[in-house]
Amino acid sequence: LTGDFSTGVIVFEPSEPKTLKTLLTKIGGLKTDQLKWIESIKVNDKAVDLALIDSYTLSNNDSVEIKKYPEFKVYVTGDYKPGVVSFEPDEPRTLEGLLTKLGGIPVSEQKWIESITINGQPADISKATSYTLNNGDKVEIRRYAEFKIYLSGDFETGVITFEPQEPRTLRTLLTKIGGLKTDQLKWIES
């Protein structure tokens, strides 16, 4: 037996069935969640249909190789949930799949995403399904910086936050606080 799960010579008792299923049991079995990690099983360098594991009969001195899919990781940097994201073999390896693994970006939050790059190349979030990721890719997600005005005075006080697309002007600020009525203008000193 060679490969990624176990190696060595496996000896069958005379009463044991000489099947691939028994071999897998003898090495500790493969849990259901491990089965998706099997890329291939070869007996004497010939591929075995993974659907036939239960019925495949072995002969004396057969050579069995069990290969596992390699780990698949993407490195997320920037302002939005940085870290290392691992993909399972059956998960879509796309930008959309990565964003899903990060918990998604709600539509209301997408306006705060300034840019997404994959290995330094710009990516369009609206076409996230079309970007295929490779093992070791670096995905940078940048958010717009929050823009706040701290307002004090006689009319309105508090923190006023501007959305990314809002013009950062006095007119917008006045609109955000409800505007000033004509009769209030005479009372403004500065």
Side-chain angles (χ1 to χ4, degrees):
L1 178 66
T2 62
D4 301 320
F5 285 96
S6 183
T7 59
V9 175
I10 307 300
V11 178
F12 285 83
E13 295 296 323
S15 61
E16 290 179 304
K18 299 348 178 238
T19 64
L20 194 51
K21 182 178 181 178
T22 306
L23 172 70
L24 294 175
T25 302
K26 289 178 83 60
I27 63 169
L30 292 175
K31 296 176 181 74
T32 304
D33 64 328
Q34 290 177 308
L35 291 176
K36 65 182 164 192
W37 284 99
I38 296 176
E39 182 176 15
S40 66
I41 297 178
K42 292 181 180 177
V43 176
N44 301 323
D45 290 325
K46 292 181 185 166
V48 172
D49 182 349
L50 297 179
L52 302 176
I53 288 177
D54 290 350
S55 61
Y56 197 89
T57 303
L58 297 173
S59 299
N60 194 30
N61 294 322
D62 274 348
S63 173
V64 178
E65 177 186 53
I66 304 173
K67 283 287 187 189
K68 189 174 149 176
Y69 283 106
E71 286 190 26
F72 188 95
K73 294 181 179 181
V74 173
Y75 301 91
V76 179
T77 62
D79 308 316
Y80 194 81
K81 300 183 180 181
V84 178
V85 178
S86 296
F87 284 77
E88 303 227 348
D90 56 349
E91 291 180 313
R93 296 172 179 187
T94 61
L95 179 57
E96 181 181 56
L98 173 66
L99 296 175
T100 299
K101 289 184 74 64
L102 291 173
I105 300 176
V107 174
S108 62
E109 286 293 309
Q110 288 181 12
K111 64 186 170 198
W112 288 98
I113 301 299
E114 181 177 8
S115 66
I116 297 178
T117 61
I118 302 171
N119 300 322
Q121 299 300 311
D124 181 351
I125 193 171
S126 68
K127 298 177 182 171
T129 55
S130 66
Y131 294 99
T132 300
L133 300 174
N134 294 305
N135 189 33
D137 277 352
K138 179 182 167 190
V139 177
E140 181 179 47
I141 304 173
R142 289 267 168 227
R143 289 177 52 90
Y144 285 107
E146 285 189 347
F147 186 83
K148 296 180 180 182
I149 299 292
Y150 297 89
L151 191 60
S152 63
D154 297 325
F155 290 96
E156 181 84 29
T157 61
V159 178
I160 309 299
T161 303
F162 284 69
E163 299 285 316
Q165 73 282 1
E166 289 182 305
R168 296 173 180 177
T169 64
L170 181 57
R171 178 181 302 260
T172 304
L173 175 63
L174 292 174
T175 300
K176 288 178 84 59
I177 64 170
L180 295 175
K181 297 175 180 69
T182 306
D183 64 329
Q184 291 176 315
L185 292 176
K186 64 183 175 189
W187 293 103
I188 296 178
E189 184 179 339
S190 64

